[in-house]
Amino acid sequence: MRKTAKNFQILNFISNFACRLVISAYKLMAGLYIHIPFCASRCIYCGFYSTTLLEYRQRYVDALCKEMEMRPFPLPEGTGIDTIYLGGGTPSQLTIELLQQLFLNINKVYMLPSSEGGAGGGSEITIECNPDDVSEEFASALPQLGINRVSMGAQTFDNKRLRFLHRRHTAEQVPIAVERLRKAGIHNISIDLMYGFPGETIDDWEHDIDAALHLNVEHLSAYCLMIEEGSLLYEQLRVHSSEFKVDEELERQMYELLINKLTAAGYEHYEISNFAKPGFRSRHNSNYTQLRQTMPQLECGKHPSVYGGYRKGHDTL
């Protein structure tokens, strides 16, 4: 009895991490999203659920695998997994061994088409990474798992602004990470940028855009700094509100500069915050934005979802 109660407490704890397994299907394509909530440290702006309790990583992955086995989503006949997305949190905080366990289970439950070097065949398989997590060993392991796309949070190439955000990496680590991924055979890289920092000028922002363009990555996402309720930044500004003044006109000019420079460099502006070289739009994100009214979605974990009148959700693992 005591063992059963302990196991329930563990699963309930993991459930409260808001773990999400999302499978969406429309016609002949389906997408799988897995939320990895672990972070080595918490960024000041982040409003997503995350935890720094890294000792629970093994239990979390075990629970994800168990959940997939207990409640596999019956894909329509002729439908295969088209995209897999590991988001967070910081999925690159999982060890290579835990990623191997996760992908072995994904292959077992969803029978992904095999391909040389890993799972998924022609699927787009993305993992979000922090630049400082991309060691040579980590980068080399990704293609063996079938991962062929990396989304990396650069945010800014100014170390002072990175410290303001409580980011762990430095500006110098971003090009090193990109080089390691290229060397490992990852030819679809996306980086995130952020603008609208306190005291940031239009010249500062142009420097960040130019630094990003110099990396010649396939995809760029750029977001204006938001003050999310529940974030460390939100709590800080409740006490020191005078330190952060929003200049909406300056933010508009920054966004306009972003569009002009990236389109001039050959990137397609296909969503509000997303830019891609031809042929490198995020298939996973595009499936959601284009088909959200009709595609069924399953979300396992704590929060149910509704899309197109189709609802699936459970409060426990």
Side-chain angles (χ1 to χ4, degrees):
M1 182 70 179
R2 184 173 300 172
K3 183 178 180 181
T4 302
K6 183 178 180 181
N7 288 342
F8 175 79
Q9 289 174 353
I10 292 171
L11 291 178
N12 188 54
F13 180 79
I14 295 175
S15 175
N16 281 304
F17 279 169
C19 101
R20 293 189 292 163
L21 169 63
V22 178
I23 299 179
S24 55
Y26 181 79
K27 294 185 179 178
L28 295 179
M29 56 186 173
L32 170 65
Y33 175 83
I34 299 178
H35 189 69
I36 308 296
F38 299 101
C39 293
S41 59
R42 196 169 272 116
C43 298
I44 194 171
Y45 59 88
C46 186
F48 293 113
Y49 184 82
S50 64
T51 178
T52 57
L53 299 175
L54 301 182
E55 63 270 24
Y56 284 94
R57 287 176 293 183
Q58 180 66 67
R59 292 180 181 181
Y60 185 81
V61 171
D62 289 343
L64 277 176
C65 292
K66 182 70 171 178
E67 183 175 21
M68 282 187 272
E69 293 169 3
M70 290 174 62
R71 301 199 295 115
F73 184 63
L75 295 174
E77 185 177 352
T79 300
I81 297 292
D82 182 59
T83 64
I84 300 174
Y85 196 101
L86 271 64
T90 313
S92 56
Q93 277 294 295
L94 292 185
T95 63
I96 294 171
E97 292 74 21
L98 288 176
L99 286 170
Q100 289 171 337
Q101 177 187 346
L102 185 58
F103 275 94
L104 281 172
N105 198 76
I106 292 171
N107 272 284
K108 181 176 71 172
V109 174
Y110 299 108
M111 294 179 292
L112 302 181
S114 61
S115 65
E116 183 178 353
S123 301
E124 176 193 87
I125 305 179
T126 304
I127 184 171
E128 292 182 347
C129 293
N130 269 22
D132 52 317
D133 288 334
V134 184
S135 64
E136 290 184 356
E137 180 185 14
F138 185 86
S140 298
L142 298 183
Q144 300 303 313
L145 295 168
I147 294 170
N148 51 27
R149 185 175 185 272
V150 169
S151 179
M152 192 161 51
Q155 313 308 354
T156 176
F157 293 89
D158 181 274
N159 284 323
K160 183 178 180 180
R161 291 196 289 274
L162 285 171
R163 288 191 295 271
F164 166 77
L165 294 175
H166 293 190
R167 297 290 292 180
R168 290 183 287 119
H169 72 276
T170 64
E172 293 75 22
Q173 288 176 306
V174 178
I176 294 173
V178 170
E179 183 180 355
R180 287 173 176 169
L181 292 169
R182 296 290 194 212
K183 185 178 178 181
I186 302 295
H187 303 297
N188 191 351
I189 300 174
S190 176
I191 63 171
D192 290 351
L193 295 177
M194 189 172 288
Y195 61 96
F197 292 90
E200 184 182 19
T201 66
I202 196 78
D203 289 339
D204 293 334
W205 175 226
E206 186 168 19
H207 174 269
D208 275 353
I209 298 172
D210 289 340
L213 288 173
H214 183 72
L215 296 176
N216 198 30
V217 294
E218 288 69 31
H219 191 279
L220 283 159
S221 298
Y223 307 95
C224 187
L225 179 63
M226 300 287 289
I227 305 172
E228 299 283 355
E229 187 172 355
S231 67
L232 295 175
L233 181 59
Y234 178 85
E235 297 302 322
Q236 178 179 314
L237 293 180
R238 289 178 62 186
V239 180
H240 306 287
S241 58
S242 60
E243 296 179 7
F244 193 97
K245 294 182 179 180
V246 176
D247 186 336
E248 293 184 356
E249 173 58 23
L250 178 59
E251 289 178 353
R252 185 198 63 78
Q253 293 174 16
M254 288 179 169
Y255 183 59
E256 188 175 272
L257 178 67
L258 172 75
I259 295 171
N260 291 340
K261 290 188 73 72
L262 265 58
T263 54
Y267 288 83
E268 299 174 343
H269 185 198
Y270 72 99
E271 289 174 357
I272 291 174
S273 301
N274 292 325
F275 302 79
K277 291 185 177 180
F280 287 96
R281 294 184 181 188
S282 169
R283 280 158 51 187
H284 188 86
N285 289 347
S286 295
N287 287 350
Y288 275 85
T289 56
Q290 293 173 14
L291 307 172
R292 70 171 65 188
Q293 297 301 320
T294 54
M295 67 181 182
Q297 169 178 293
L298 172 69
E299 181 167 319
C300 304
K302 193 172 179 61
H303 303 291
S305 299
V306 179
Y307 278 118
Y310 183 96
R311 176 170 179 155
K312 271 280 190 177
H314 297 264
D315 288 333
T316 58
L317 292 171

